[in-house]
Every structure is written in structure tokens, then in C-alpha cells.
Amino acid sequence: MLKWWQRGAIYQIYPRSFCDADGDGVGDLPGVLSRLDHLVDLGVAALWLSPFYRSPMADFGYDVSDYTDVAPVFGTLADFDDLLAAAHERGLKVVLDWVPNHTSDQHPWFQDRQRRRRWYVWRAEPNGWQAQFRRGGPAWAPDPDGAGDVYLHSFLPEQPDLDWDEPEVEAAMHDVLRFWLQRGVDGFRMDVVYRIAKDPALGENELHRRHDQDWDTMQARLAGIRGVLEEHGDDRLAVGELHLPTQADVARYVNWPAGLHLAHNFHFLELPWSAAAFRHGLTEFYDLLEAPAWPAWCLNNHDYSRLASRHGEHAVRPAAMLLSTLRGTPFLFQGEELGLRDVPIPPERVVDVDGRDPQRAPLPWAPPAQAGPGAGFTTGEPWLPMTPDATQVNAATQAADPRSVLTLYRRLLALRREQEDLHSGAIAFLDQPEDADVLAYRRGDDHVIALNFSPDPRPVAWPDGANVVLSTHLDREAGAAAPANLRGGEGVVARLS
Ligand code: NOJ
């Protein structure tokens, strides 16, 4: 019996940019509640909320100053409870974003650093570890009290790393999970979870061995986390963000018996849009998984340039079909279901430290001609510019258009729910003519999917008896013989008779 997180798709909400209910230009939890029916109509099983906790917002919520309260700009705990109840009423699960590796420098634990020294990572002087983000540089900052020591920050100096080798830290972070589990949440996306295990000796990184992440203690740490989730039954999800060098590294985390249920594997966000590259990468990952480990797939999130901009318009529809027909859980990032592109940000409106504003621009809900310049996202001035394409690219217009990208996602996710082959069936890749730019695979007994990665027409070698179920272009007759040529950027789900 598959779990809910295996059968259904999971939709990422970046709360600042989803929907603004109070007109201050920043999305909020009541705004999310007001748009839940969009998710029901889309047909996802769950939503994952990027952080909405109290935060000075140096990294827009990934710098948490109180793990168990809501930032006023997003609402209140009561708003959260209302949202959770409304989601559950509609049969939607709710996954929170847990940020275990670092707090904000404004968190009371760091403020209390004189007494809680052991909760953070200190050294007399920096080693060679480097911080992430474009500004990079040493991952060490001077003790704000001038004690002469330096503290570790794998990201911004405003995000000091917790020391998970300190048992009190582990216990406190487990209690954060319990706080939300008791409120009824269905799981957690775990921010940079591979970083909560570091070499306690703080040794220098080596060519083939990082000492600042993915250390030997990792497996036991995950088992501890799983134990907390299992205090609340066996249905709560642990999905981890894993930026690791190889797919074999990612697979380890889901192959461990008490590891993650799902892993975000970023290999496919780094690949060129090529059928051969995807076939190679997918085959590699499927082969690395040991049953009952289950794959998950994502092609967008709030840290990456959107697929429509990264690879071009012709990739949008086949990507939708790929994500919804692979064996494994699809993750969508808000706006992906509209084919939204990165939004150009003029220099004076740049707010992110790492160039990620274009993919975080607000979601267009309705045409500006009807809803005003905020396009149904806000009645105020949006915190980031609205897409200039909002007249065509908005949820209301696309919902009314039987051939839109939104309609395609709805049809695909419905098909995936209905057809056992598509949510549960085995996958087998099918050979295609050399250099065809076509990725083709069989799902279960009866379904075959062929995707043209090229913007130009390409031939497909179908198995005998393949008939159209659904084309990405939403204009082929169901039941007709599967086409010998796919149009540029076309994909077809076919059924074998
Ligand atoms: C990964 C998150 O996805 C990203 O947005 C954030 O900046 C870093 N982790 C640090 O928390």
C-alpha cells in the first residue's frame, strides 16, 4: 500500500509570494488559505510551506529567531491553525520547512551564547571552510562579544550553525518537530539536512571528503528524527534537501532504513535539457535505490532559475509530463503550473543576497485589467515586481483555457491519480532512434510516455498498439494511433491495446 506522499504530488508554497490577504504587498497565511481551492483543482496531495516563522528575514525566513511562532508579516499561530484545518478539510496534507542547521543570530539561543556556548560551533581562528551564496568567503565570523573566537556560519553571518554534537541542541530541535506534530502537521521538508552532521574535530575539507557536512553521524541523526516523527504514527513525512556531489550520495539517505522518506535530488536542475542526459541520470538514480526506497523529482524551487527561463518555452510542457509520469513523487514549485518565467528585477528592487529574486516574484492570479496591477496577488505594492506576462500567465485565465499549461497539469495529475500504472507501476526506458531527442518509457503494463526534448519535430519508435491518451498540446484525439512524429516540445502519454 503506497503512502500519501508516494501517490500524490507535493506543491511548494513560498508564502511571501503566494497570496497577500492584508494588502501589505507580502503574501501571508490567510492568503494561502484563500487560495487552497487552486491546489484542490490542480490535484496535488500536499502543500509544503517555506518558512513562515519569526525571522529578521536576512535570508527571507531561513534565518529563524523563533521556531514555534509565526512572523507577524505572515500572520499568527491562530492563522496557521486555521490554514491547517482548512487544508485538512479539503484532504490536503501540510508539510512544514524545518531549518535544523542554523538559527538566526537574533535567536534567543545565540543571544544567550555566553551560557549556551556549546550550542554553536566555535574556533579560536577560522579553518578553510567556506560559506555558501555568491558572496561566499570564510564560513567564520568574529564573536559579537569580542571574545576573540569565531563562530561557524555555513550561510550568512546572520545564520550561525547549531552544533548538533551537543545533545541539548538535538533535543531542542526534536522538540520543535514535536510542537508542530502536535498541532497536526503531516511532515517536514528539512533544510540542508546533510549539514547537521559535521566532523567534530572541524578538520579541513579534502578533495573527496567534506568535513563540514554529511559526516558519519548523519545516519544516527536521521534515525533520531524519524523516531520523533514515529511518535505520531507512521504517516508523517521526512523529505530532505540534499545538495551532495553525486546521486549515489543522495541515494544513501533514502536507502538507510531509518533515513529520509524522500530526498530532493538537484542533479536534474543542473542538467542540460537533453533526452540523453535525463535518461542517463534517471537510470542511474533508479538503479541506486534499494527497495523500499522511493524516488522524488523536482525541476524547480525557490533557489533555481525557473525551468521556462532556464531551458526555454519548449521545455515547459514536456517537463510537466515528465514530472507527473515518472515513478516517484513529483514536487512542483508555485507558478510552475502556469509555466511562469523568471521575472526581471531592476537593480533597485533586488532584495535577495544570492540573486534568487526572479524565481520568487509573486504569483499572478488574475489579469491586471480585471484585478489591478497586483494581478490578484495583492491590492498593495508587491514586495517583488509582478511578472510582465500577467495578462496571459495567470491562474484565472489559464483555468478557463482548455489548452493552457494549467489545464495540462490538472489533466496530468488527474491521470496520475486514476491510473495505477502511473503512480505505482514499474518504469522501463525504451530505446529510440539515435540522436532523436526523445525520452520514452513504459509505466506498468499499459502506459508508454514519449517526450520530445527538442523545439523541432522528432520521430518516435512506439511499441505496437500505442494509442493516444493525452498530448502535452491537449489537441490530439484520445484513442487515435500514437503519432509517428512528435511536434517540437510535445509529449504524449499512450496506452497499449
Ligand atoms: C536552502 C534553502 O532552500 C535556501 O533558500 C536557503 O537560503 C538555504 N538553505 C539556507 O537555509
Side-chain angles (χ1 to χ4, degrees):
M1 184 55 184
L2 293 186
K3 296 279 189 192
W4 64 265
W5 46 264
Q6 295 175 298
R7 287 178 83 88
I10 302 182
Y11 182 95
Q12 181 190 357
I13 289 181
Y14 193 72
R16 283 190 91 78
S17 300
F18 191 69
C19 185
D20 169 25
D22 64 5
D24 66 356
V26 175
D28 44 41
L29 298 182
V32 175
L33 192 155
S34 75
R35 299 288 184 183
L36 283 180
D37 289 334
H38 174 72
L39 305 189
V40 173
D41 295 342
L42 180 58
V44 297
L47 51 119
W48 142 35
L49 289 163
S50 279
F52 52 75
Y53 318 108
R54 279 191 186 263
S55 162
M57 305 288 171
D59 188 15
F60 291 108
Y62 286 96
D63 51 322
V64 181
S65 56
D66 186 345
Y67 287 102
T68 56
D69 201 3
V70 175
V73 73
F74 295 133
T76 62
L77 264 181
D79 291 329
F80 174 77
D81 289 337
D82 289 348
L83 170 58
L84 186 65
H88 283 168
E89 266 166 37
R90 289 165 175 78
L92 294 166
K93 304 280 188 186
V94 176
V95 174
L96 300 197
D97 210 315
W98 180 57
V99 188
N101 178 67
H102 43 267
T103 66
S104 161
D105 61 349
Q106 301 304 309
H107 195 290
W109 299 338
F110 192 72
Q111 293 295 308
D112 191 29
R113 58 190 166 270
Q114 306 265 8
R115 283 191 298 148
R116 289 182 205 257
R117 204 75 181 164
R118 295 193 323 276
W119 284 44
Y120 292 87
V121 185
W122 302 90
R123 239 175 156 266
E125 54 191 46
N127 65 9
W129 294 3
Q130 296 290 300
Q132 297 300 297
F133 295 148
R134 288 181 186 174
R135 58 164 93 153
W140 300 92
D143 184 342
D145 305 322
D149 289 8
V150 290
Y151 67 88
L152 178 67
H153 59 88
S154 296
F155 295 88
L156 297 174
E158 293 89 340
Q159 294 167 295
D161 282 44
L162 286 162
D163 187 349
W164 273 72
D165 291 319
E166 165 55 47
E168 288 180 19
V169 165
E170 186 163 25
M173 290 309 292
H174 284 179
D175 282 345
V176 170
L177 294 174
R178 289 191 185 97
F179 175 87
W180 294 106
L181 288 166
Q182 280 154 14
R183 287 192 114 78
V185 308
D186 301 289
F188 299 91
R189 176 265 189 184
M190 304 184 172
D191 188 66
V192 294
V193 70
Y194 58 99
R195 285 189 175 264
I196 65 171
K198 302 175 174 81
D199 172 9
L202 308 180
E204 294 294 352
N205 288 324
E206 301 163 81
L207 194 55
H208 297 295
R209 177 104 218 242
R210 293 274 297 252
H211 288 244
D212 58 352
Q213 62 181 44
D214 191 25
W215 199 251
D216 308 340
T217 36
M218 194 69 233
Q219 194 177 352
R221 294 236 155 115
L222 290 181
I225 292 165
R226 276 283 288 271
V228 175
L229 298 193
E230 281 157 21
E231 290 166 11
H232 296 264
D234 61 0
D235 224 19
R236 315 284 177 129
L237 168 68
V239 47
E241 183 199 22
L242 298 181
H243 288 283
L244 293 169
T246 67
Q247 293 208 94
D249 294 317
V250 174
R252 261 191 292 128
Y253 281 62
V254 284
N255 285 336
W256 286 329
L260 297 171
H261 297 114
L262 297 175
H264 283 154
N265 172 359
F266 296 97
H267 182 69
F268 298 88
L269 284 121
E270 312 280 353
L271 282 185
W273 187 245
S274 139
F278 270 69
R279 177 173 177 170
H280 183 265
L282 290 164
T283 307
E284 178 180 69
F285 196 65
Y286 283 120
D287 288 348
L288 284 163
L289 293 187
E290 295 160 11
W294 185 261
W297 309 109
C298 59
L299 296 171
N300 286 289
N301 78 8
H302 63 296
D303 294 330
Y304 284 85
S305 165
R306 287 183 178 270
L307 179 130
S309 299
R310 208 160 71 229
H311 297 311
E313 233 28 72
H314 67 285
V316 167
R317 287 172 188 254
M321 189 169 274
L322 177 71
L323 203 64
S324 359
T325 59
L326 282 175
R327 179 177 166 82
T329 303
F331 278 79
L332 276 75
F333 174 48
Q334 65 180 44
E336 181 170 348
E337 76 280 24
L338 306 177
L340 194 62
R341 282 189 290 207
D342 291 343
V343 174
I345 309 291
E348 68 279 8
R349 304 254 341 234
V350 168
V351 287
D352 180 48
V353 291
D354 204 30
R356 298 167 295 183
D357 297 325
Q359 59 266 34
R360 296 176 177 184
L363 213 59
W365 290 98
Q370 282 165 26
F377 164 70
T378 184
T379 53
E381 173 66 22
W383 74 288
L384 282 174
M386 178 50 64
T387 174
D389 303 333
T391 297
Q392 310 81 37
V393 183
N394 69 73
T397 302
Q398 291 203 14
D401 174 356
R403 294 186 51 195
S404 67
V405 174
L406 178 57
T407 302
L408 173 64
Y409 268 98
R410 289 177 173 182
R411 298 276 305 270
L412 282 167
L413 292 176
L415 195 63
R416 188 175 188 278
R417 283 195 310 278
E418 286 155 15
Q419 296 296 329
E420 196 176 336
D421 275 354
L422 296 184
H423 56 250
S424 308
I427 188 162
F429 291 93
L430 304 176
D431 287 337
Q432 291 296 308
E434 202 77 19
D435 301 327
D437 296 327
V438 170
L439 178 71
Y441 45 95
R442 187 164 179 154
R443 289 299 314 281
D445 291 334
D446 295 331
H447 286 85
V448 175
I449 295 98
L451 304 164
N452 179 6
F453 277 55
S454 161
D456 301 315
R458 289 287 185 265
V460 190
W462 293 99
D464 288 344
N467 295 319
V468 171
V469 175
L470 188 66
S471 157
T472 48
H473 293 35
L474 297 166
D475 57 355
R476 288 192 190 268
E477 201 188 322
N485 287 287
L486 293 175
R487 288 165 286 178
E490 187 181 19
V492 167
V493 179
R495 201 183 162 92
L496 303 179
S497 54

